[in-house]
């Protein structure tokens, strides 16, 4: 759309319907106005819940609501560094021990390879969207242009919840690892106990708060400088990890890969619990890969998205997978799998070794650096998500503002920094980390579905869209159902030949479903710059694996997820749909100016993709 057409459209909209809610001050101008808005909730839901924007609108009219632009100064090596920093945090130092001891044994190396493949498949889906639509909204924007506003809002709520809860928990764990680095094993020694508060909320952690606020100031100042700091910290952290790997291979014994300590009670071999143990281990260690999605939120600040984003996102996942597999192999060589400490596997492997206790302190220092890098990348990502959610109109527009001097979303960064610090001050969030896991896997599942839908449904006219929508939706629902059946059989069916046959049948049905869809339904569009290879096999495999990993989570996680989703829907019905209606359909005095700014940005969109 050219600039003149856009202005004409806005003037026409203002003359025909701009008086509405905005002229009267909006749905929240008074109690009476809000009451009228609530009375119109069904009609507004019908108009807004499935309302989708176009990539051009996201990069122009919607982006213009932030005012100043974010600076495009990041290159592919910055994205690789951010991906490494976001993924290689403290999680690997904990999940490796649990997955090895409880499920996979030495076969945890294969578990990490499977989880890495799953992460790479999801990364491909993210990359296609990020290259085609280089904006800061990540999965929120991808689902908004595909499935509409309500699906995007639920995704955005899960993403913000995931980032805030996990960042608060990780910041508190920084105190524990920093204590290990200096020889203080009990983190409670560095926390202030407050009598009278319930357990889990009664230890004030000022160090965690200080770390979060310091990182918040850094990311508000400049994205490029934050990236440089992350690169330095990540390089030192990777050096620590390489040190751990070398020490493991040097001090380790290959006999530990097949021989447990207690052979009478624990099976031996490289795969002591068979394939089931390896896949259950993959579900657990997959959480160590969470963080690469934050890289896609930096797309609006990348110099050449079509080149830098694929290399940055996929390259970081491949490098992290290699590091994780080597770490898992070195740990498995250090100790038999049934002697590994589930809470601190790497440092615990050296504590009992005469003359090698200092290695535990080095591991604690490396994990502390990993926490800092993962926190910085996660807080960069969460601020950009909230900024774009503010742009969309479903949250206050104040959150969308980009500061003209720093070219960063200062309001969103500061708000989330203070909120996260307040949670980290008192709250132990271990119970909520499974809620973080289910929310993240749900988002990855939705993005994989969205990339298929967009490839096979997007067309030049609405009639063609409707004709292609139903076959594609039926395929996505049927394939998810087959994946769910496979997962339930894997989790609950008793071992035996019948179970194996049913699993094989489900696998064959999944392959047949994808093959039939590919043969019968033609793609409606092909990406101009970069697309997911082997469509629809790659996103289908991502859907399948994410459903499988979701099935590994416990029942309380789903209960908490259900309550959280219900609360998010309630917020949408009571606030967001009305705010969105005012922003998108109520008109307003500033619409013309925003449209002119949006047209200017749209004129430059082609330059961003070069």
């Amino acid at each position: 759309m050219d600039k003149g057409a856009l202005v004409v459209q806005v003037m026409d909209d203002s003359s025909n319907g701009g008086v509405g809610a905005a002229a009267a001050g909006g749905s929240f101008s008074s109690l009476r106005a809000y009451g009228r808005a609530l009375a119109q909730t069904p009609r507004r839901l019908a108009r807004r819940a499935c309302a989708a924007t176009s990539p051009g609108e996201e990069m122009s009219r919607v982006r213009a609501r932030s005012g100043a632009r974010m600076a495009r100064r990041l290159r592919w090596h910055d994205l690789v560094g951010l991906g490494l920093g976001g993924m290689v945090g403290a999680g690997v130092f904990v999940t490796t021990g649990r997955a090895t001891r409880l499920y996979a044994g030495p076969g945890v190396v294969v578990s990490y390879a499977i989880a890495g493949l799953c992460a790479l498949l999801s990364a491909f889906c993210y990359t296609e969207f990020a290259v085609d639509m280089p904006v800061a909204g990540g999965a929120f924007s991808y689902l908004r242009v595909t499935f509409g506003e309500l699906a995007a809002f639920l995704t955005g709520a899960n993403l913000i919840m995931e980032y805030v809860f996990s960042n608060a928990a990780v910041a508190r764990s920084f105190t524990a690892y920093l204590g290990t680095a200096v020889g203080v094993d009990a983190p409670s020694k560095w926390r202030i106990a407050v009598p009278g508060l319930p357990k889990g909320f009664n230890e004030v952690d000022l160090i965690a708060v200080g770390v979060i606020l310091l990182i918040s100031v850094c990311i508000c100042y400049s994205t490029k400088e934050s990236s440089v700091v992350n690169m330095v910290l990540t390089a030192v952290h990777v050096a620590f990890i390489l040190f751990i790997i070398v020490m493991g291979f040097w001090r380790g014994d290959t006999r530990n890969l097949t021989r447990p300590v207690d052979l009478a009670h624990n099976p031996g071999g490289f795969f002591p619990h068979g394939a089931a143990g390896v896949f259950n281990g993959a579900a657990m260690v997959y959480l160590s890969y969470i963080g690469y999605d934050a890289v896609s939120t930096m797309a609006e600040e990348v110099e050449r998205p079509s080149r830098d984003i694929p290399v940055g996102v996929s390259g970081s996942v491949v490098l992290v997978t290699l590091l994780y597999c080597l770490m898992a192999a070195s740990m498995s060589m250090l100790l038999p799998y049934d002697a590994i400490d589930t809470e601190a596997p790497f440092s615990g492997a050296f504590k009992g070794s005469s003359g090698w206790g200092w290695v535990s302190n080095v591991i604690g220092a490396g994990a502390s650096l990993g926490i800092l890098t993962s926190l910085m990348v996660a807080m960069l990502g969460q601020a950009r998500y909230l900024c774009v959610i503010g742009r969309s109109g479903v949250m206050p527009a104040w959150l969308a503002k980009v500061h003209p001097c720093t070219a960063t979303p200062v309001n969103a960064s500061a708000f989330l920094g203070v909120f996260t610090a307040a949670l980290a001050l008192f709250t132990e969030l271990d119970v909520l980390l499974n809620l973080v896991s289910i929310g993240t896997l749900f988002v990855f599942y939705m993005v994989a579905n969205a990339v298929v839908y967009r490839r096979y449904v997007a067309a030049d006219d609405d009639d063609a869209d409707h004709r292609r929508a139903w076959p594609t939706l039926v395929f996505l629902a049927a394939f998810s159902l087959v994946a769910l059946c496979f997962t339930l059989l894997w989790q609950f069916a008793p071992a035996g030949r019948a179970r194996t046959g049913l699993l094989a049948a489900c696998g064959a049905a999944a392959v047949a479903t994808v093959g039939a869809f590919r043969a019968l339904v033609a793609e409606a569009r092909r990406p101009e710059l970069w697309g997911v290879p082997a469509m629809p096999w790659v996103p289908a495999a991502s859907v399948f694996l994410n459903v499988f990993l979701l099935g590994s989570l416990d029942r309380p996680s789903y209960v908490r997820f259900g309550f959280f989703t219900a609360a998010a829907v309630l917020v949408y019905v009571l606030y967001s749909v009305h705010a969105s209606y005012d922003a998108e359909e109520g008109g307003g005095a500033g619409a013309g100016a925003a449209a002119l700014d949006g047209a200017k940005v749209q004129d430059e969109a082609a330059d961003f993709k070069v």
Side-chain angles (χ1 to χ4, degrees):
M1 179 184 294
D2 63 11
K3 193 181 301 183
L6 187 59
V7 174
V8 170
Q9 179 184 343
V10 170
M11 292 177 65
D12 183 62
D13 290 346
S14 299
S15 62
N16 288 320
V19 216
S27 300
F28 307 98
S29 59
S30 66
L31 285 176
R32 179 174 294 179
Y34 183 58
R36 287 197 299 267
L38 288 180
Q40 297 175 16
T41 298
R43 184 173 66 88
R44 293 185 175 188
L45 281 173
R47 291 180 65 88
R48 298 301 314 158
C50 295
T53 55
S54 68
E57 287 179 303
E58 288 289 329
M59 291 189 292
S60 57
R61 179 176 61 85
V62 176
R63 197 227 57 83
R65 292 171 181 166
S66 288
R69 294 190 192 91
M70 298 183 193
R72 289 186 175 270
R73 299 177 58 194
L74 300 180
R75 305 292 295 274
W76 67 266
H77 48 80
D78 295 303
L79 297 183
V80 171
L82 290 167
L84 285 171
M87 284 182 278
V88 188
V92 65
F93 291 96
V94 177
T95 57
T96 308
R98 291 178 180 172
T100 303
R101 180 74 178 265
L102 302 177
Y103 297 113
V108 71
V109 177
V110 181
S111 296
Y112 267 114
I114 293 171
L117 174 62
C118 182
L120 186 63
L121 296 177
S122 291
F124 284 156
C125 299
Y126 270 83
T127 300
E128 176 170 325
F129 276 111
V131 169
D132 187 57
M133 189 173 59
V135 293
F140 174 83
S141 296
Y142 308 156
L143 291 176
R144 191 164 183 248
V145 301
T146 306
F147 294 133
E149 186 175 275
L150 179 58
F153 179 81
L154 294 178
T155 300
N158 272 287
L159 287 165
I160 297 300
M161 173 272 297
E162 167 212 331
Y163 276 114
V164 170
F165 285 170
S166 61
N167 288 346
V170 167
R172 285 182 71 92
S173 70
F174 175 80
T175 305
Y177 281 102
L178 185 63
T180 302
V182 298
V184 180
D185 289 336
S188 58
K189 294 180 180 179
W190 286 13
R191 293 172 180 160
I192 303 171
V194 180
L197 293 178
K199 183 175 175 58
F201 300 87
N202 61 342
E203 289 188 353
V204 173
D205 194 330
L206 295 177
I207 294 177
V209 172
V211 167
I212 290 173
L213 294 180
L214 183 63
I215 292 176
S216 297
V217 171
C218 182
I219 65 176
C220 285
Y221 176 70
S222 169
T223 300
K224 181 63 178 179
E225 275 66 28
S226 298
S227 171
V228 171
V229 172
N230 171 75
M231 288 284 282
V232 173
L233 292 176
T234 299
V236 178
H237 180 48
V238 170
F240 274 106
I241 288 177
L242 293 175
F243 168 79
I244 294 169
I245 292 170
V246 171
M247 291 297 297
F249 279 94
W250 180 26
R251 294 273 300 167
D253 185 347
T254 55
R255 289 177 295 181
N256 290 331
L257 295 175
T258 56
R259 189 182 62 188
V261 172
D262 188 0
L263 191 56
H265 296 89
N266 296 307
F270 190 73
F271 301 108
H273 301 294
V278 171
F279 282 103
N280 288 334
M284 180 171 285
V285 302
Y286 185 70
L287 303 182
S288 301
Y289 288 90
I290 290 173
Y292 67 84
D293 60 311
V295 179
S296 71
T297 68
M298 315 304 296
E300 198 168 313
E301 297 158 271
V302 176
E303 283 190 9
R304 299 180 64 183
S306 61
R307 181 198 64 184
D308 295 333
I309 292 175
V311 176
V313 178
S314 302
S316 60
V317 172
V318 171
L319 287 176
V320 167
T321 301
L322 179 62
L323 287 175
Y324 282 171
C325 289
L326 290 173
M327 286 181 73
S330 68
M331 186 200 66
S332 298
M333 291 174 64
L334 280 170
L335 289 173
Y337 79 89
D338 57 344
I340 289 173
D341 183 352
T342 57
E343 298 300 323
F346 293 97
S347 58
F350 289 97
K351 276 184 180 178
S353 302
S354 177
W356 293 91
W358 59 273
V359 179
S360 296
N361 300 65
V362 174
I363 292 172
S368 300
L369 284 174
I371 288 173
L372 289 179
T373 59
S374 62
L375 264 180
M376 179 170 287
V377 175
M379 293 179 72
L380 280 166
Q382 72 177 9
R384 279 138 189 83
Y385 272 124
L386 190 59
C387 170
V388 174
I389 292 172
R391 288 178 187 172
S392 71
V394 296
M395 293 293 284
W398 174 82
L399 296 168
K401 296 302 178 185
V402 173
H403 197 280
C405 296
T406 64
T408 60
V410 171
N411 292 350
S413 300
F415 173 78
L416 288 174
V418 172
F419 186 33
T420 306
L423 281 176
L425 181 63
F426 288 100
T427 313
E428 293 285 359
L429 294 173
D430 293 342
V431 177
L432 295 177
L433 287 183
N434 274 351
L435 179 57
V436 171
S437 304
I438 194 172
T440 305
L441 290 171
F442 169 74
V443 172
F444 292 167
Y445 166 80
M446 291 294 292
V447 170
N449 279 282
V451 78
V452 175
Y453 186 88
R454 191 156 179 263
R455 279 277 200 105
Y456 284 87
V457 175
D460 295 330
D461 60 273
D462 291 339
D463 290 338
D465 278 355
H466 289 303
R467 286 197 300 271
R468 288 190 177 92
W470 284 110
T472 306
L473 289 173
V474 168
F475 160 70
L476 293 175
F479 188 79
S480 294
L481 183 61
V482 172
L484 180 61
C485 291
F486 183 93
T487 303
L488 293 176
L489 287 169
W490 182 276
Q491 292 292 332
F492 301 112
R497 298 177 68 178
R499 176 177 181 263
T500 303
L502 289 172
L503 289 173
C506 284
V511 172
T513 302
V514 179
F517 176 73
R518 189 173 188 276
L520 297 175
V521 182
E523 291 185 39
R525 63 180 297 277
R526 291 184 180 274
E528 297 178 7
L529 300 169
W530 194 94
V532 176
M535 179 65 71
W537 295 99
V538 167
S542 180
V543 167
F544 194 94
L545 287 170
N546 281 302
V547 170
F548 181 78
L549 294 175
L550 281 166
S552 70
L553 300 175
D554 55 14
R555 182 176 176 274
S557 297
Y558 282 93
V559 173
R560 287 189 285 268
F561 180 71
F563 278 114
F564 178 82
T565 302
V569 170
L570 188 64
V571 170
Y572 181 77
V573 170
L574 295 180
Y575 172 79
S576 297
V577 70
H578 307 294
S580 168
Y581 184 85
D582 290 348
E584 298 291 343
E585 303 188 30
L596 285 173
D597 189 13
K600 180 179 179 183
V601 179
Q602 191 174 20
D603 289 342
E604 299 171 356
D607 296 334
F608 294 160
K609 293 186 178 183
V610 175

